[in-house]
Amino acid sequence: MDKNFQEEITQIIKFKPPLYKQRHQFVKDLVEKYKPKKVADLGCADCSLLRMLKFCSCIEVLAGLDICANVMQEKMHTLSPLPVDYLQPSERSLTVTLHHGSVAHKDPCMLGFDLVTCIELIEHLEEPELKKFPEVVFGFMAPSIVVISTPNSEFNPLLPGVMLYRHPDHKFEWNQAQFQSWALETARCYDYSVEFTGVGHPPTGMEKAGFCTQIGVFIRKYPQTGGSVQSEKPTEAVYKTVFKAVYPSLKDEKYLQNAVISEVIFTAQIIKHRLMSKHKEYGDDPERKSKFQPSMDCFSDYLGKLVVEKNMEPFVSGNEVYIPLATIFSFPKVNRLCGTFEKLCKLIAGKVTLSSDGSAVIFNIEHENEEN
Ligand code: SAH
């Protein structure tokens, strides 16, 4: 290739965002499209893809596998829950696990996944490992979707400084025909369909080179027949688990209870505040009091509609304010958290001060009266 032309091309071939980010974004888009619950990333390296995927709210189980424990462990702490995850537990459950092992070996911890990603992995496999790879991933793990990305060697002449392979650890780099024939044969063998795409567009006029990173998206043709398939699979564990994080979730009764108690107290405080300001405004004048209508500004708009119903009206008696639980339960967030009124009662029992019949939250306003 003419040197000036090569230089010109080199100017053009600067991927924005960088290619690795485009590959990860590709996986994220796929997750958003298919909404898998369980995702495994094979050859996860520094866990950067897993770190991105943990924010996809459909995912409940995330697993990483790599043959190099050091590279995984370097940043694995970044997969741990943050303080904010404890302060505001998510509605979904999420478990993140990292395993040390090879994609050439079967381990039962890799069963039951919906999506398996192999991003820039296969070109790192020695020939015997590559031979075993399809049986492990497609035959044994058999997820609904497999994504495999690998360098497209036809693009290499367009990349600055690439002599043989793009990385010294690559054992091979395939052109488009080589990757596609391997992928089609693998898909045929294990009853998958495969579609080819990629990231990193070639420059105008050089479309024949194809994408810089070639990608195969494999979709399993037939659903797995649950139990029978599982029981045929070996159960001996060969991978070593090096990291496991269980995120706080509202599916866990302990976190749900905390969230419900906070929300109930918060809601009751707001209702009380509205009631007290009205109480102060109208004082004890029965005539003025009878004209009491909850004000219709933002929050009170909602409350106003509720108090029309009997037994749902908050009231003051002596030094105590009574906020009916039924009113609190009608608020969308409390309602969504608890699901049923019975569950609300169960979760706050003994944790929030209630009236003797248990139908209302009580606040003592003695000191508030004194202050005023
Ligand atoms: N998937 C990552 C990095 C790919 S680099 C990303 O998208 O950025 C390839 C990774 O595969 C390396 O971390 C390497 O340690 C790992 N690897 C190589 N051979 C493997 C094998 N047989 N089993 C599992 N992982 C392997």
Side-chain angles (χ1 to χ4, degrees), residues 5 9 12 201-207:
F5 182 63
I9 293 288
I12 299 165
H201 283 274
T204 317
M206 311 216 61
E207 286 77 9

Side-chain angles (χ1 to χ4, degrees), residues 20 23-24 41-49 65-69 71-72 99-105 117-126 129-130 133 149 167 169-171 239:
Y20 79 93
R23 288 191 286 262
H24 291 180
D41 185 30
L42 311 185
C44 63
D46 65 357
C47 310
S48 50
L49 178 58
L65 171 73
D66 206 287
I67 202 163
C68 180
V71 68
M72 261 193 307
H99 306 281
H100 176 220
S102 170
V103 288
H105 299 136
T117 58
C118 310
I119 304 303
E120 306 298 273
L121 164 70
I122 58 170
E123 65 277 10
H124 291 264
L125 303 179
E126 300 281 1
E129 293 175 312
L130 183 68
F133 174 84
S149 86
H167 190 278
D169 189 51
H170 287 181
K171 309 300 184 298
Y239 297 165

Side-chain angles (χ1 to χ4, degrees), residues 19-137:
L19 214 51
Y20 79 93
K21 284 197 178 166
Q22 292 192 38
R23 288 191 286 262
H24 291 180
Q25 187 60 45
F26 180 88
V27 173
K28 193 169 176 238
D29 292 344
L30 211 67
V31 165
E32 268 148 25
K33 181 174 173 193
Y34 290 101
K35 310 237 175 295
K37 278 190 176 171
K38 300 182 175 189
V39 180
D41 185 30
L42 311 185
C44 63
D46 65 357
C47 310
S48 50
L49 178 58
L50 294 172
R51 236 177 341 268
M52 183 182 198
L53 294 181
K54 79 171 193 167
F55 294 103
C56 297
S57 59
C58 60
I59 297 177
E60 295 180 358
V61 175
L62 257 184
L65 171 73
D66 206 287
I67 202 163
C68 180
N70 288 345
V71 68
M72 261 193 307
Q73 280 165 323
E74 217 170 279
K75 291 190 187 163
M76 69 183 182
H77 62 276
T78 58
L79 291 171
S80 297
L82 299 168
V84 67
D85 294 313
Y86 288 97
L87 289 171
Q88 279 190 317
S90 160
E91 285 190 23
R92 58 126 178 206
S93 60
L94 175 65
T95 303
V96 184
T97 317
L98 297 179
H99 306 281
H100 176 220
S102 170
V103 288
H105 299 136
K106 298 173 183 174
D107 187 296
C109 74
M110 283 289 151
L111 291 173
F113 284 88
D114 305 308
L115 168 66
V116 168
T117 58
C118 310
I119 304 303
E120 306 298 273
L121 164 70
I122 58 170
E123 65 277 10
H124 291 264
L125 303 179
E126 300 281 1
E127 212 179 317
E129 293 175 312
L130 183 68
K131 274 219 165 83
K132 288 182 186 153
F133 174 84
E135 174 49 26
V136 175
V137 175

Side-chain angles (χ1 to χ4, degrees), residues 152 154-155 158 176 200-212:
N152 163 20
E154 285 163 82
F155 204 101
L158 305 179
Q176 295 172 85
H201 283 274
T204 317
M206 311 216 61
E207 286 77 9
K208 265 193 155 181
F211 289 106
C212 188

Side-chain angles (χ1 to χ4, degrees), residues 119-340:
I119 304 303
E120 306 298 273
L121 164 70
I122 58 170
E123 65 277 10
H124 291 264
L125 303 179
E126 300 281 1
E127 212 179 317
E129 293 175 312
L130 183 68
K131 274 219 165 83
K132 288 182 186 153
F133 174 84
E135 174 49 26
V136 175
V137 175
F138 295 89
F140 176 73
M141 297 176 68
S144 322
I145 309 168
V146 180
V147 187
I148 297 181
S149 86
T150 193
N152 163 20
S153 64
E154 285 163 82
F155 204 101
N156 287 356
L158 305 179
L159 295 172
V162 173
M163 300 307 283
L164 179 62
Y165 297 143
R166 294 182 196 175
H167 190 278
D169 189 51
H170 287 181
K171 309 300 184 298
F172 61 90
E173 284 178 3
W174 281 333
N175 61 30
Q176 295 172 85
Q178 287 169 315
F179 175 54
Q180 292 184 14
S181 87
W182 174 86
L184 285 166
E185 177 55 16
T186 303
R188 192 193 58 76
C189 241
Y190 295 96
D191 283 329
Y192 279 74
S193 63
V194 57
E195 282 191 6
F196 299 102
T197 177
V199 291
H201 283 274
T204 317
M206 311 216 61
E207 286 77 9
K208 265 193 155 181
F211 289 106
C212 188
T213 295
Q214 45 187 342
I215 299 177
V217 179
F218 300 73
I219 311 269
R220 202 182 57 220
K221 283 186 183 164
Y222 312 109
Q224 274 221 307
T225 43
S228 64
V229 177
Q230 214 80 352
S231 60
E232 287 163 20
K233 312 239 169 176
T235 50
E236 199 194 332
V238 290
Y239 297 165
K240 189 174 165 228
T241 303
V242 292
F243 174 87
K244 185 169 178 174
V246 179
Y247 277 65
S249 153
L250 296 176
K251 291 216 167 97
D252 180 335
E253 190 96 350
K254 176 176 76 191
Y255 293 110
L256 177 65
Q257 186 176 42
N258 285 340
V260 167
I261 292 168
S262 310
E263 199 56 35
V264 163
I265 293 172
F266 175 72
T267 308
Q269 291 274 17
I270 292 178
I271 299 172
K272 185 196 86 173
H273 182 75
R274 299 298 325 170
L275 183 72
M276 295 302 290
S277 43
K278 286 292 153 196
H279 207 254
K280 254 183 250 156
E281 208 175 296
Y282 296 114
D284 284 335
D285 177 348
E287 234 180 61
R288 298 187 73 194
K289 218 172 170 182
S290 67
K291 288 183 201 141
F292 165 69
Q293 289 287 325
S295 73
M296 289 310 215
D297 59 352
C298 59
F299 179 85
S300 302
D301 183 19
Y302 184 72
L303 184 57
K305 285 175 194 153
L306 286 176
V307 297
V308 176
E309 289 185 40
K310 242 184 161 230
N311 299 330
M312 288 181 79
E313 190 168 353
F315 62 93
V316 180
S317 169
N319 282 329
E320 284 172 333
V321 178
Y322 288 72
I323 321 281
L325 275 183
T327 311
I328 295 170
F329 181 65
S330 313
F331 280 73
K333 194 160 175 200
V334 178
N335 195 291
R336 202 180 38 162
L337 281 171
C338 304
T340 64

